[in-house]
Amino acid sequence: MNKNADVVVIGGGAVGTAITYYLAKKGLKTILVEKKDYAEGTSSKCEGHLAVHDTEPGYFSRLSKLSLDMYPSLIDELEYDVHYKEMGIGLLCETEEEVEYAKKIMKGKIEEGIPARFVDQYELQQREKYIAKDILGYVDYQCDSQLDPMYLCYGLALEAKKNGAEILNYTTVKDISLNEKGEVEKVITDRGDITTKTVVNATGVWAPEIGKMVGLDIPIRPRQGQILITERTSVKVVQQSYSEFGYVLTKKGKKRSSVTPEMDEYGVALVIESTPADNYLIGSSRIFGDMNTKNSIEVIKAIAQRAMRFFPILEDINIIRTYAGVRPSTPDGYPIISDTKVPGFYIAAGHEGNGISLAPITGKLISQIICGEERDIETKAVNFSRFQENN
Amino acid sequence: MSEKKDILVCRCEEITESEIREAIRNGAHTITDIKRRTRAGMGLCQGKTCFKLVSRILADELGVKAEEILPQTDRPPVRPISFKTLGGDGDE
């Protein structure tokens, strides 16, 4: 198999399939190379929240909002049903300090044009009959939504194919060769070579391996997260999806007074997502380390305890499975959506826990960067050159 | 020739043989790939009942031996466990 392409995208997760879709739509001859099936890496080991609720006001928040705004029309373009559900996500507050901090963030978000409102304890009790009585309320981020991340990958890939893209699943990139000027020349796979001048590295937590092939040091490291799956239950545990405000705090590495030492150590914060199948997905944890995707009893126990603290009704509901994934995290918490000093080599990786939310805007921005078009938002904050000491 | 009746393979999620064959023809190469694409094995028994049957279909489609098909990733719990039991002090 020897082929040629305008662009080769490496990585068949949400980010890679989105990029392939946007490039193919522009009429570029695009080949997606994925070492296994779609969503094999992180996009099948996460939750499906599309979120602006987990960031403070600023560039990341604005980038997320742009991406979320793209979803309704993108969903219309996809033939595949990705179980997209617009319903808002609530950020639950446990203490007065959290309420105060959450309201402050909310104010900044509203100024950015993000619809949000604080729902007090009384109204929370009216809406959610199973919530612990002492939870003080939540910030309702009404533009947040959810979908099935795996189906998103299938849907984007299928649509990319209809637009002329070629997909090579179960194909491993062995090397990338550069010409004498140092420009991208060829992608070498275990199934043959692809001649191309343009490569996009969308391999998330595996991005450093691909970067090495062209002499780049990409500072992405794995951050593990574990999730529980409940049995299908007719108990309507929640009317919408929630995270606890502590999730925002753990992302910032802040200590919380209200949790056990284990929860603090493993960065455990409640995330609860209802699914169309009536299973609930319950997270979350944050552990920096290696590529380990195994579950550990200490962590899933702490997650179960944290979930019961908010929703005591869960006590008698069964957990049928657990899973764990590694999120690609960067030193400053921002993704990399950028060209590099290697002509023809682009990076779209390091989205940590926001890859599903940011997939559409990432796909669109990369296509704009490659084609030299005006960008939907300036990309200085996500440029790879910020890690200059590495490169 | 009468039309062959479609067999229910995953009883928990009610996934049929033809749905599984279609997933494989769309690119699924492993038990996990099939699970993600069809939900076969995602139910209460976590594939304990249908794993062998799915393996046989996969082996048939890929032209390999059923014994060569690897099971899905082992994950806790071994059988359903309540939040109370998992999150408790281990007395139960």
Side-chain angles (χ1 to χ4, degrees):
Chain A
M1 172 205 85
N2 286 312
K3 297 176 179 287
N4 59 75
D6 292 329
V7 188
V8 173
V9 179
I10 309 172
V15 171
T17 52
I19 294 168
T20 306
Y21 174 60
Y22 283 100
L23 289 171
K25 260 205 342 180
K26 277 197 195 301
L28 293 172
K29 189 178 175 196
T30 308
I31 298 181
L32 171 67
V33 182
E34 159 58 47
K35 68 182 169 189
K36 293 193 176 156
D37 196 5
Y38 306 114
E40 170 69 25
T42 305
S43 298
S44 63
K45 299 179 179 69
C46 54
E47 288 184 273
H49 283 174
L50 304 175
V52 297
H53 74 262
D54 62 347
T55 47
E56 296 206 23
Y59 181 79
F60 205 135
S61 177
R62 295 201 308 275
L63 191 67
S64 303
K65 178 68 165 58
L66 269 181
S67 202
L68 262 54
D69 286 347
M70 290 170 70
Y71 263 110
S73 61
L74 176 62
I75 299 300
D76 285 344
E77 289 163 31
L78 303 182
E79 182 192 319
Y80 206 94
D81 178 8
V82 300
H83 294 171
Y84 179 66
K85 198 156 76 176
E86 288 178 294
M87 55 160 190
I89 294 177
L91 207 49
L92 295 162
C93 297
E94 191 184 15
T95 64
E96 290 293 352
E97 295 76 50
E98 286 187 3
V99 171
E100 198 181 318
Y101 195 1
K103 280 183 172 173
K104 196 178 137 209
I105 292 177
M106 179 182 82
K107 192 164 165 275
K109 294 279 220 181
I110 290 170
E111 280 163 15
E112 284 180 341
I114 290 168
R117 72 178 185 110
F118 187 77
V119 175
D120 67 15
Q121 192 169 10
Y122 175 79
E123 194 182 335
L124 170 59
Q125 298 289 337
Q126 302 298 308
R127 289 172 63 96
E128 298 290 352
K129 65 175 171 177
Y130 298 123
I131 186 82
K133 301 291 174 226
D134 60 338
I135 299 301
L136 299 175
Y138 67 97
V139 180
D140 190 17
Y141 283 103
Q142 295 140 359
C143 66
D144 283 3
S145 47
Q146 68 180 57
L147 49 67
D148 184 313
M150 298 179 281
Y151 292 178
L152 176 68
C153 298
Y154 303 146
L156 287 166
L158 183 70
E159 223 56 41
K161 269 201 247 184
K162 283 197 219 157
N163 281 275
E166 187 176 349
I167 314 272
L168 300 176
N169 280 354
Y170 283 92
T171 307
T172 303
V173 172
K174 295 289 188 191
D175 204 358
I176 297 165
S177 66
L178 308 178
N179 64 17
E180 68 281 0
K181 288 186 202 154
E183 301 160 335
V184 168
E185 181 184 58
K186 200 184 282 181
V187 175
I188 298 153
T189 80
D190 59 347
R191 291 173 62 197
D193 299 350
I194 309 168
T195 304
T196 185
K197 287 181 174 164
T198 310
V199 166
V200 184
N201 177 4
T203 55
V205 81
W206 292 272
E209 283 176 42
I210 300 292
K212 265 187 214 148
M213 295 175 184
V214 295
L216 294 177
D217 180 9
I218 303 174
I220 287 176
R221 62 179 181 142
R223 193 269 293 168
Q224 199 222 44
Q226 303 191 23
I227 294 164
L228 318 179
I229 310 173
T230 74
E231 64 188 325
R232 283 183 170 196
T233 172
S234 56
V235 178
K236 192 88 182 133
V237 180
V238 287
Q239 303 298 319
Q240 65 173 86
S241 290
Y242 292 95
S243 296
E244 63 163 300
F245 184 69
Y247 181 78
V248 180
L249 296 176
T250 53
K251 271 185 85 171
K252 291 168 67 80
K254 291 204 171 163
K255 286 257 173 201
R256 289 168 295 157
S257 54
S258 55
V259 299
T260 65
E262 289 77 20
M263 291 174 192
D264 195 42
E265 187 185 344
Y266 308 133
V268 169
L270 172 82
V271 176
I272 179 165
E273 177 178 324
S274 57
T275 70
D278 293 329
N279 304 98
Y280 289 90
L281 304 182
I282 298 197
S284 64
S285 62
R286 297 174 65 79
I287 302 169
F288 287 95
D290 53 20
M291 300 292 267
N292 174 18
T293 56
K294 288 200 160 57
N295 291 95
S296 53
I297 197 78
E298 300 79 20
V299 176
I300 59 175
K301 181 172 177 163
I303 293 171
Q305 289 168 342
R306 192 66 186 151
M308 287 188 288
R309 189 274 171 259
F310 285 87
F311 295 98
I313 185 87
L314 287 168
E315 273 189 11
D316 296 318
I317 290 173
N318 283 317
I319 296 154
I320 59 169
R321 191 171 170 84
T322 58
Y323 59 101
V326 278
R327 329 280 177 229
S329 99
T330 60
D332 59 9
Y334 279 46
I336 304 165
I337 305 171
S338 178
D339 58 359
T340 65
K341 68 175 183 186
V342 178
F345 190 82
Y346 298 79
I347 303 171
H351 296 62
E352 207 188 319
N354 298 76
I356 311 300
S357 300
L358 296 176
I361 192 66
T362 303
K364 198 166 176 202
L365 283 173
I366 284 286
S367 74
Q368 290 168 338
I369 293 169
I370 287 175
C371 296
E373 296 169 357
E374 196 185 325
R375 298 163 200 186
D376 282 18
I377 183 171
E378 56 88 17
T379 54
K380 191 164 165 279
V382 291
N383 204 293
F384 185 55
S385 63
R386 71 189 193 273
F387 302 116
Q388 220 127 38
E389 73 276 15
N390 298 75
N391 297 287
Chain B
M1 204 171 81
S2 67
E3 208 172 302
K4 204 176 149 193
K5 197 163 178 279
D6 205 3
I7 297 168
L8 198 61
V9 174
C10 169
R11 288 165 182 246
C12 301
E13 298 294 313
E14 297 177 347
I15 309 301
T16 65
E17 181 185 351
S18 63
E19 287 174 287
I20 289 166
R21 288 193 187 273
E22 191 193 343
I24 300 164
R25 284 163 196 169
N26 283 332
H29 271 55
T30 66
I31 296 288
T32 303
D33 293 350
I34 293 170
K35 181 177 83 165
R36 289 191 194 127
R37 285 165 180 266
T38 66
R39 291 191 64 85
M42 276 193 185
L44 193 63
C45 89
Q46 286 293 300
K48 287 185 187 73
T49 314
C50 63
F51 163 65
K52 284 203 168 163
L53 207 44
V54 177
S55 297
R56 272 170 50 195
I57 299 167
L58 185 57
D60 179 43
E61 288 284 334
L62 298 181
V64 299
K65 288 180 186 157
E67 303 86 74
E68 290 171 28
I69 305 290
L70 297 171
Q72 65 164 326
T73 319
D74 275 334
R75 299 273 190 193
V78 175
R79 61 181 70 84
I81 179 177
S82 70
F83 275 77
K84 190 164 55 186
T85 307
L86 176 63
D89 297 324
D91 297 337
E92 286 172 84

